[in-house]
Amino acid sequence: MVLERGQDWTQKGPDTFPNLSDNDRRKTWFGEIDGLTGFSTTTPWAGMIERVSGDTLDAACGAGVGGGSLVYGGALIQPRRQTFDTVFPQISYDDMDQIYYPRVLAQIKAGRIPPDVLASDNYAAQRAFIADTSSAGFQVSMPFTGFDWDVIREEIQGRRVAAASVSEYIYGCNSGAKLSTDKNYLRDALATGNVEIRSLTEVVMLSEQSDGGYLITCRRIHPDGTGLERYELRASHLILAAGSLNTSKLLLKSQAAGELHGANDRIGQNWGTNGDELKLELSKNAVSGTQGGPACIAAVDDSSASHPVTYMHSPASVPVNVQIQLAMSVPDSLGETRYDSAADKLTVHWPADTNTPSAQARTDSFTRLLKQSGGANISGTIGRPTVWHPLGGTVMGDACDHFGRLYGYENLFVVDSSLLPGSAGAVNPALTVAANAERIMEQLILELERS
């Protein structure tokens, strides 16, 4: 049984998903302001992105059958060995490199941007980014992406609705190019006949039972938030995959209510931003107007050996010559998530890190890039900082072991981004989160077969 609070966004035509420019309630998960930008107001609805407030920044996460893969940029970057070993010292990089990363890429059918697509008119911004970062001495790569490039090619040829090729790829993708997990992992699970998915189903509470199992209190809702049904399920084994923010919230809430009794005080700790910092450049290159996506070009600056910086070019169609880059590094310190029982609300607490070595490395690196490109730094115009890759809260080796077994509980597992200690090794975390889940589930299956 898979329980999902959000909607089933199965592709049903060219208007399945909202567009960036639309004033569309489907964009935001029951918030009062737009989940992506934090600016405009919105009507409460079971939309695609939830915005969680914090003391120094906000964090965003997905909602829907397919989870974060519905709203991510699609970049599937494998961290380099040296950085990986720093962040994950007790996980074998060889195993991840030879077994689990390739397994995920094969399951998703991920691909790299083809030369003919990169050479097309819509991808001038991507080509400018390659030229600028190469000239600055950065290591440029074309990572795998969770997109079907044949579909994007059809968009460019006018045989599909233009979506990814015009940077409409955040809220799903109306051409069908985004290979979200509802199109691979969940589709294949349903095909076995052994799996049921219940969408628009919120998990309200987790309760330990005297027989060692768990009682899951569920609330089925209408997309407008109206409660339709409340019921309970019983499970011998419970696997949490609600993401860093909502796995933490559900566990903290259930512990605060006295329904989970294990004395695990590490839940919510070691939460981090993946070292994310959005950088905006007013470019001298002609990159205004249509910018083709998704995020498919990366560049690494190794000028600081202890704090390498990875840039993920983030295309967006804007009326001025703006280049948007997401800079990522390994943060020097970590924060936490806290649950407010009275408000039934999770908040994130993050130490201001503008003067830490990792933040300084990002600043220095961007200065080097601008010196080469001749552009101007306009990053200060983007408003309140937002974390696109929230990580941690039930970290391996702290709140649970390295196979996701939550300390203090039997048969309660975590398999999502909350396992990562605030960083994925200076890269987008999607590939590592999925590969780590593959590693954990392989072990769990073996244990269940032996029991």
Side-chain angles (χ1 to χ4, degrees), residues 350-406:
W350 178 250
D353 63 345
T354 54
N355 296 315
T356 63
S358 62
Q360 190 60 51
R362 295 192 299 270
T363 298
D364 293 345
S365 177
F366 197 53
T367 299
R368 282 189 290 274
L369 177 58
L370 294 177
K371 183 178 180 180
Q372 180 60 46
S373 69
N377 186 354
I378 58 171
S379 302
T381 64
I382 58 179
R384 185 169 171 81
T386 302
V387 178
W388 312 111
H389 301 140
L391 302 172
T394 58
V395 169
M396 294 179 290
D398 184 37
C400 60
D401 71 13
H402 281 78
F403 288 101
R405 304 179 188 90
L406 197 66

Short mmCIF file of all heavy atoms in Angstrom, two decimals, residues 350-406:
data_model
loop_
_atom_site.label_atom_id
_atom_site.label_comp_id
_atom_site.label_asym_id
_atom_site.label_seq_id
_atom_site.Cartn_x
_atom_site.Cartn_y
_atom_site.Cartn_z
N TRP A 350 17.70 27.25 10.42
CA TRP A 350 18.96 27.16 9.69
C TRP A 350 19.88 28.30 10.13
O TRP A 350 19.48 29.47 10.09
CB TRP A 350 18.71 27.24 8.20
CG TRP A 350 19.95 27.20 7.36
CD1 TRP A 350 20.49 28.23 6.64
CD2 TRP A 350 20.80 26.08 7.16
NE1 TRP A 350 21.63 27.81 6.01
CE2 TRP A 350 21.86 26.49 6.32
CE3 TRP A 350 20.79 24.76 7.62
CZ2 TRP A 350 22.88 25.64 5.92
CZ3 TRP A 350 21.81 23.91 7.23
CH2 TRP A 350 22.83 24.34 6.39
N PRO A 351 21.08 28.00 10.57
CA PRO A 351 21.99 29.07 10.97
C PRO A 351 22.40 29.91 9.76
O PRO A 351 22.73 29.36 8.71
CB PRO A 351 23.20 28.31 11.56
CG PRO A 351 23.15 26.97 10.88
CD PRO A 351 21.70 26.67 10.68
N ALA A 352 22.35 31.22 9.90
CA ALA A 352 22.80 32.09 8.81
C ALA A 352 24.23 31.72 8.45
O ALA A 352 25.12 31.70 9.29
CB ALA A 352 22.71 33.55 9.23
N ASP A 353 24.46 31.40 7.17
CA ASP A 353 25.78 30.87 6.79
C ASP A 353 26.45 31.72 5.70
O ASP A 353 27.21 31.22 4.89
CB ASP A 353 25.64 29.42 6.31
CG ASP A 353 24.79 29.28 5.06
OD1 ASP A 353 24.08 30.24 4.73
OD2 ASP A 353 24.84 28.22 4.42
N THR A 354 26.15 33.00 5.70
CA THR A 354 26.71 33.85 4.64
C THR A 354 28.22 34.03 4.77
O THR A 354 28.88 34.40 3.79
CB THR A 354 26.04 35.23 4.67
OG1 THR A 354 26.15 35.78 6.00
CG2 THR A 354 24.57 35.14 4.29
N ASN A 355 28.77 33.77 5.95
CA ASN A 355 30.21 33.98 6.14
C ASN A 355 30.98 32.69 6.39
O ASN A 355 32.14 32.73 6.79
CB ASN A 355 30.45 34.94 7.31
CG ASN A 355 29.89 36.32 7.05
OD1 ASN A 355 30.07 36.85 5.95
ND2 ASN A 355 29.19 36.88 8.02
N THR A 356 30.36 31.55 6.15
CA THR A 356 31.05 30.29 6.35
C THR A 356 31.99 30.01 5.18
O THR A 356 31.87 30.60 4.10
CB THR A 356 30.05 29.13 6.48
OG1 THR A 356 29.33 29.02 5.24
CG2 THR A 356 29.06 29.37 7.61
N PRO A 357 32.95 29.10 5.36
CA PRO A 357 33.86 28.79 4.25
C PRO A 357 33.16 28.31 2.99
O PRO A 357 33.56 28.67 1.87
CB PRO A 357 34.75 27.68 4.83
CG PRO A 357 34.77 27.96 6.30
CD PRO A 357 33.39 28.46 6.62
N SER A 358 32.10 27.51 3.12
CA SER A 358 31.40 27.03 1.92
C SER A 358 30.68 28.17 1.22
O SER A 358 30.66 28.26 -0.01
CB SER A 358 30.41 25.91 2.28
OG SER A 358 29.42 26.38 3.17
N ALA A 359 30.06 29.08 1.99
CA ALA A 359 29.39 30.24 1.39
C ALA A 359 30.40 31.14 0.70
O ALA A 359 30.15 31.67 -0.39
CB ALA A 359 28.62 31.01 2.45
N GLN A 360 31.56 31.34 1.34
CA GLN A 360 32.59 32.17 0.73
C GLN A 360 33.12 31.55 -0.55
O GLN A 360 33.40 32.25 -1.53
CB GLN A 360 33.74 32.39 1.71
CG GLN A 360 34.74 33.45 1.26
CD GLN A 360 34.10 34.81 1.07
OE1 GLN A 360 33.41 35.30 1.97
NE2 GLN A 360 34.31 35.42 -0.09
N ALA A 361 33.20 30.21 -0.56
CA ALA A 361 33.64 29.52 -1.78
C ALA A 361 32.66 29.75 -2.92
O ALA A 361 33.08 29.96 -4.07
CB ALA A 361 33.81 28.02 -1.50
N ARG A 362 31.37 29.74 -2.62
CA ARG A 362 30.37 30.01 -3.66
C ARG A 362 30.48 31.44 -4.17
O ARG A 362 30.39 31.71 -5.38
CB ARG A 362 28.96 29.73 -3.13
CG ARG A 362 28.70 28.28 -2.78
CD ARG A 362 27.22 28.01 -2.53
NE ARG A 362 26.67 28.77 -1.43
CZ ARG A 362 26.63 28.37 -0.17
NH1 ARG A 362 27.16 27.19 0.16
NH2 ARG A 362 26.08 29.12 0.78
N THR A 363 30.67 32.39 -3.25
CA THR A 363 30.81 33.79 -3.63
C THR A 363 32.04 34.00 -4.50
O THR A 363 31.97 34.65 -5.56
CB THR A 363 30.90 34.68 -2.38
OG1 THR A 363 29.68 34.55 -1.63
CG2 THR A 363 31.11 36.13 -2.75
N ASP A 364 33.18 33.47 -4.07
CA ASP A 364 34.42 33.63 -4.83
C ASP A 364 34.31 32.98 -6.20
O ASP A 364 34.80 33.53 -7.20
CB ASP A 364 35.59 33.02 -4.05
CG ASP A 364 35.89 33.78 -2.76
OD1 ASP A 364 35.40 34.91 -2.60
OD2 ASP A 364 36.61 33.22 -1.91
N SER A 365 33.68 31.83 -6.24
CA SER A 365 33.55 31.11 -7.51
C SER A 365 32.69 31.90 -8.49
O SER A 365 33.03 32.03 -9.68
CB SER A 365 32.94 29.73 -7.26
OG SER A 365 32.72 29.05 -8.47
N PHE A 366 31.58 32.45 -8.00
CA PHE A 366 30.71 33.20 -8.90
C PHE A 366 31.41 34.47 -9.39
O PHE A 366 31.21 34.89 -10.54
CB PHE A 366 29.40 33.55 -8.18
CG PHE A 366 28.29 33.96 -9.10
CD1 PHE A 366 27.92 33.16 -10.17
CD2 PHE A 366 27.61 35.16 -8.91
CE1 PHE A 366 26.89 33.53 -11.03
CE2 PHE A 366 26.58 35.54 -9.76
CZ PHE A 366 26.22 34.73 -10.82
N THR A 367 32.23 35.06 -8.55
CA THR A 367 33.01 36.23 -8.96
C THR A 367 33.95 35.87 -10.10
O THR A 367 34.09 36.62 -11.08
CB THR A 367 33.81 36.80 -7.78
OG1 THR A 367 32.90 37.21 -6.75
CG2 THR A 367 34.66 37.98 -8.20
N ARG A 368 34.58 34.70 -10.00
CA ARG A 368 35.46 34.25 -11.09
C ARG A 368 34.68 34.02 -12.38
O ARG A 368 35.14 34.36 -13.47
CB ARG A 368 36.17 32.96 -10.68
CG ARG A 368 37.33 33.15 -9.73
CD ARG A 368 38.14 31.87 -9.54
NE ARG A 368 37.40 30.87 -8.78
CZ ARG A 368 37.38 30.81 -7.45
NH1 ARG A 368 38.05 31.70 -6.73
NH2 ARG A 368 36.70 29.87 -6.83
N LEU A 369 33.49 33.45 -12.25
CA LEU A 369 32.67 33.22 -13.44
C LEU A 369 32.26 34.54 -14.10
O LEU A 369 32.33 34.69 -15.33
CB LEU A 369 31.43 32.40 -13.06
CG LEU A 369 30.42 32.11 -14.18
CD1 LEU A 369 31.08 31.37 -15.33
CD2 LEU A 369 29.25 31.30 -13.64
N LEU A 370 31.85 35.51 -13.30
CA LEU A 370 31.43 36.81 -13.84
C LEU A 370 32.61 37.55 -14.47
O LEU A 370 32.44 38.25 -15.49
CB LEU A 370 30.80 37.66 -12.74
CG LEU A 370 29.49 37.14 -12.15
CD1 LEU A 370 29.02 38.05 -11.02
CD2 LEU A 370 28.42 37.02 -13.21
N LYS A 371 33.78 37.41 -13.90
CA LYS A 371 34.97 38.05 -14.48
C LYS A 371 35.22 37.52 -15.87
O LYS A 371 35.63 38.26 -16.77
CB LYS A 371 36.18 37.80 -13.58
CG LYS A 371 37.45 38.48 -14.05
CD LYS A 371 38.60 38.22 -13.09
CE LYS A 371 39.87 38.90 -13.59
NZ LYS A 371 41.02 38.67 -12.65
N GLN A 372 34.95 36.24 -16.07
CA GLN A 372 35.17 35.64 -17.38
C GLN A 372 34.05 36.01 -18.36
O GLN A 372 34.28 36.33 -19.52
CB GLN A 372 35.25 34.11 -17.25
CG GLN A 372 35.46 33.39 -18.56
CD GLN A 372 36.75 33.82 -19.24
OE1 GLN A 372 37.80 33.90 -18.60
NE2 GLN A 372 36.68 34.10 -20.54
N SER A 373 32.80 35.98 -17.87
CA SER A 373 31.65 36.19 -18.77
C SER A 373 31.37 37.67 -19.02
O SER A 373 30.72 38.00 -20.01
CB SER A 373 30.40 35.54 -18.17
OG SER A 373 29.99 36.22 -17.00
N GLY A 374 31.83 38.53 -18.10
CA GLY A 374 31.54 39.95 -18.24
C GLY A 374 30.16 40.34 -17.76
O GLY A 374 29.72 41.48 -17.94
N GLY A 375 29.45 39.42 -17.12
CA GLY A 375 28.11 39.69 -16.63
C GLY A 375 28.11 40.39 -15.28
O GLY A 375 29.16 40.59 -14.66
N ALA A 376 26.91 40.76 -14.81
CA ALA A 376 26.76 41.44 -13.53
C ALA A 376 25.98 40.56 -12.57
O ALA A 376 25.04 39.86 -12.95
CB ALA A 376 26.04 42.77 -13.73
N ASN A 377 26.36 40.62 -11.31
CA ASN A 377 25.70 39.83 -10.27
C ASN A 377 24.44 40.54 -9.83
O ASN A 377 24.48 41.63 -9.26
CB ASN A 377 26.65 39.66 -9.08
CG ASN A 377 26.09 38.73 -8.02
OD1 ASN A 377 24.96 38.29 -8.09
ND2 ASN A 377 26.90 38.43 -7.02
N ILE A 378 23.28 39.93 -10.09
CA ILE A 378 21.99 40.49 -9.66
C ILE A 378 21.28 39.52 -8.73
O ILE A 378 20.05 39.53 -8.62
CB ILE A 378 21.10 40.86 -10.87
CG1 ILE A 378 20.84 39.64 -11.76
CG2 ILE A 378 21.72 42.00 -11.66
CD1 ILE A 378 19.78 39.90 -12.84
N SER A 379 22.04 38.69 -8.03
CA SER A 379 21.46 37.66 -7.17
C SER A 379 20.62 38.26 -6.05
O SER A 379 19.68 37.63 -5.56
CB SER A 379 22.56 36.78 -6.57
OG SER A 379 23.32 36.18 -7.58
N GLY A 380 20.92 39.48 -5.63
CA GLY A 380 20.20 40.10 -4.53
C GLY A 380 18.78 40.50 -4.86
O GLY A 380 18.05 40.98 -3.98
N THR A 381 18.36 40.27 -6.09
CA THR A 381 17.01 40.69 -6.50
C THR A 381 15.97 39.59 -6.34
O THR A 381 14.80 39.79 -6.68
CB THR A 381 17.02 41.13 -7.97
OG1 THR A 381 17.35 40.01 -8.81
CG2 THR A 381 18.04 42.23 -8.21
N ILE A 382 16.35 38.41 -5.85
CA ILE A 382 15.44 37.27 -5.88
C ILE A 382 14.64 37.08 -4.60
O ILE A 382 13.86 36.14 -4.49
CB ILE A 382 16.19 35.96 -6.21
CG1 ILE A 382 17.31 35.71 -5.18
CG2 ILE A 382 16.77 36.03 -7.61
CD1 ILE A 382 18.07 34.43 -5.43
N GLY A 383 14.80 37.96 -3.61
CA GLY A 383 13.96 37.88 -2.43
C GLY A 383 14.45 36.85 -1.41
O GLY A 383 15.63 36.51 -1.35
N ARG A 384 13.53 36.34 -0.62
CA ARG A 384 13.85 35.44 0.48
C ARG A 384 14.48 34.15 -0.03
O ARG A 384 13.97 33.53 -0.97
CB ARG A 384 12.58 35.12 1.27
CG ARG A 384 12.82 34.29 2.54
CD ARG A 384 11.56 34.25 3.38
NE ARG A 384 11.64 33.31 4.48
CZ ARG A 384 12.25 33.57 5.64
NH1 ARG A 384 12.83 34.73 5.83
NH2 ARG A 384 12.28 32.68 6.61
N PRO A 385 15.59 33.71 0.59
CA PRO A 385 16.23 32.47 0.14
C PRO A 385 15.29 31.27 0.24
O PRO A 385 14.51 31.15 1.18
CB PRO A 385 17.41 32.31 1.10
CG PRO A 385 17.66 33.68 1.65
CD PRO A 385 16.32 34.35 1.70
N THR A 386 15.38 30.41 -0.77
CA THR A 386 14.56 29.20 -0.82
C THR A 386 15.45 28.00 -1.05
O THR A 386 16.35 28.04 -1.89
CB THR A 386 13.52 29.28 -1.95
OG1 THR A 386 12.69 30.43 -1.75
CG2 THR A 386 12.64 28.04 -1.97
N VAL A 387 15.20 26.94 -0.29
CA VAL A 387 15.96 25.70 -0.43
C VAL A 387 15.18 24.76 -1.33
O VAL A 387 14.05 24.37 -1.02
CB VAL A 387 16.18 25.04 0.95
CG1 VAL A 387 16.93 23.73 0.80
CG2 VAL A 387 16.95 25.97 1.86
N TRP A 388 15.78 24.35 -2.44
CA TRP A 388 15.13 23.46 -3.39
C TRP A 388 15.46 22.00 -3.10
O TRP A 388 14.78 21.11 -3.60
CB TRP A 388 15.57 23.81 -4.81
CG TRP A 388 15.48 25.28 -5.09
CD1 TRP A 388 16.50 26.15 -5.28
CD2 TRP A 388 14.27 26.06 -5.14
NE1 TRP A 388 16.03 27.42 -5.46
CE2 TRP A 388 14.67 27.40 -5.39
CE3 TRP A 388 12.92 25.77 -5.02
CZ2 TRP A 388 13.75 28.44 -5.52
CZ3 TRP A 388 12.01 26.80 -5.15
CH2 TRP A 388 12.42 28.11 -5.39
N HIS A 389 16.49 21.77 -2.30
CA HIS A 389 16.94 20.40 -2.01
C HIS A 389 17.05 20.19 -0.50
O HIS A 389 18.14 19.99 0.03
CB HIS A 389 18.30 20.12 -2.66
CG HIS A 389 18.32 20.27 -4.14
ND1 HIS A 389 19.37 20.84 -4.83
CD2 HIS A 389 17.40 19.91 -5.07
CE1 HIS A 389 19.10 20.83 -6.13
NE2 HIS A 389 17.91 20.28 -6.30
N PRO A 390 15.93 20.24 0.24
CA PRO A 390 16.01 20.00 1.69
C PRO A 390 16.43 18.56 1.97
O PRO A 390 15.89 17.62 1.41
CB PRO A 390 14.58 20.28 2.17
CG PRO A 390 13.71 20.07 0.96
CD PRO A 390 14.54 20.48 -0.21
N LEU A 391 17.40 18.41 2.86
CA LEU A 391 17.96 17.09 3.17
C LEU A 391 18.14 16.96 4.67
O LEU A 391 18.46 17.92 5.37
CB LEU A 391 19.32 16.91 2.48
CG LEU A 391 19.36 17.03 0.95
CD1 LEU A 391 20.81 17.00 0.47
CD2 LEU A 391 18.56 15.93 0.30
N GLY A 392 17.98 15.72 5.17
CA GLY A 392 18.24 15.44 6.57
C GLY A 392 16.98 15.40 7.41
O GLY A 392 15.87 15.57 6.92
N GLY A 393 17.17 15.16 8.69
CA GLY A 393 16.06 15.03 9.63
C GLY A 393 15.99 13.65 10.26
O GLY A 393 15.62 13.52 11.43
N THR A 394 16.33 12.61 9.49
CA THR A 394 16.49 11.26 10.06
C THR A 394 17.76 10.68 9.43
O THR A 394 17.72 9.75 8.64
CB THR A 394 15.28 10.33 9.78
OG1 THR A 394 15.08 10.24 8.36
CG2 THR A 394 14.02 10.86 10.42
N VAL A 395 18.89 11.24 9.81
CA VAL A 395 20.15 10.99 9.12
C VAL A 395 20.74 9.63 9.48
O VAL A 395 20.69 9.19 10.63
CB VAL A 395 21.14 12.13 9.45
CG1 VAL A 395 22.56 11.78 8.97
CG2 VAL A 395 20.67 13.42 8.82
N MET A 396 21.27 8.97 8.46
CA MET A 396 21.95 7.69 8.65
C MET A 396 23.11 7.84 9.63
O MET A 396 23.89 8.78 9.52
CB MET A 396 22.47 7.16 7.31
CG MET A 396 21.40 6.80 6.32
SD MET A 396 22.09 6.22 4.72
CE MET A 396 22.80 7.76 4.07
N GLY A 397 23.21 6.90 10.57
CA GLY A 397 24.26 6.96 11.56
C GLY A 397 23.96 7.89 12.72
O GLY A 397 24.78 8.02 13.63
N ASP A 398 22.80 8.53 12.69
CA ASP A 398 22.42 9.46 13.75
C ASP A 398 21.03 9.10 14.28
O ASP A 398 20.87 8.65 15.41
CB ASP A 398 22.46 10.89 13.23
CG ASP A 398 22.16 11.92 14.30
OD1 ASP A 398 22.59 11.71 15.45
OD2 ASP A 398 21.52 12.93 13.99
N ALA A 399 19.99 9.30 13.45
CA ALA A 399 18.63 8.93 13.85
C ALA A 399 18.29 7.50 13.46
O ALA A 399 17.35 6.91 13.98
CB ALA A 399 17.61 9.88 13.22
N CYS A 400 19.03 6.94 12.51
CA CYS A 400 18.80 5.56 12.07
C CYS A 400 20.11 4.97 11.59
O CYS A 400 21.13 5.67 11.49
CB CYS A 400 17.75 5.52 10.96
SG CYS A 400 18.19 6.45 9.50
N ASP A 401 20.11 3.68 11.31
CA ASP A 401 21.34 3.06 10.84
C ASP A 401 21.49 3.29 9.34
O ASP A 401 20.68 3.97 8.71
CB ASP A 401 21.40 1.58 11.23
CG ASP A 401 20.43 0.69 10.45
OD1 ASP A 401 19.85 1.14 9.44
OD2 ASP A 401 20.25 -0.47 10.87
N HIS A 402 22.53 2.68 8.76
CA HIS A 402 22.83 2.96 7.36
C HIS A 402 21.98 2.15 6.38
O HIS A 402 22.19 2.21 5.17
CB HIS A 402 24.32 2.76 7.09
CG HIS A 402 25.14 3.92 7.56
ND1 HIS A 402 25.45 4.10 8.89
CD2 HIS A 402 25.65 4.99 6.90
CE1 HIS A 402 26.15 5.22 9.02
NE2 HIS A 402 26.28 5.77 7.84
N PHE A 403 21.00 1.43 6.93
CA PHE A 403 20.00 0.79 6.09
C PHE A 403 18.61 1.33 6.39
O PHE A 403 17.60 0.69 6.11
CB PHE A 403 20.05 -0.73 6.23
CG PHE A 403 21.26 -1.34 5.57
CD1 PHE A 403 22.36 -1.70 6.32
CD2 PHE A 403 21.32 -1.48 4.19
CE1 PHE A 403 23.48 -2.24 5.71
CE2 PHE A 403 22.44 -2.02 3.56
CZ PHE A 403 23.53 -2.39 4.32
N GLY A 404 18.56 2.53 6.98
CA GLY A 404 17.29 3.22 7.17
C GLY A 404 16.45 2.74 8.33
O GLY A 404 15.30 3.17 8.47
N ARG A 405 16.98 1.84 9.18
CA ARG A 405 16.21 1.37 10.35
C ARG A 405 16.23 2.46 11.41
O ARG A 405 17.28 2.82 11.93
CB ARG A 405 16.82 0.09 10.91
CG ARG A 405 16.95 -1.06 9.93
CD ARG A 405 17.58 -2.26 10.64
NE ARG A 405 17.91 -3.35 9.75
CZ ARG A 405 19.10 -3.48 9.12
NH1 ARG A 405 20.05 -2.57 9.30
NH2 ARG A 405 19.33 -4.50 8.34
N LEU A 406 15.06 2.95 11.76
CA LEU A 406 14.96 4.04 12.72
C LEU A 406 15.28 3.52 14.12
O LEU A 406 14.67 2.56 14.59
CB LEU A 406 13.56 4.63 12.69
CG LEU A 406 13.39 6.01 13.32
CD1 LEU A 406 14.15 7.07 12.54
CD2 LEU A 406 11.91 6.38 13.41
#
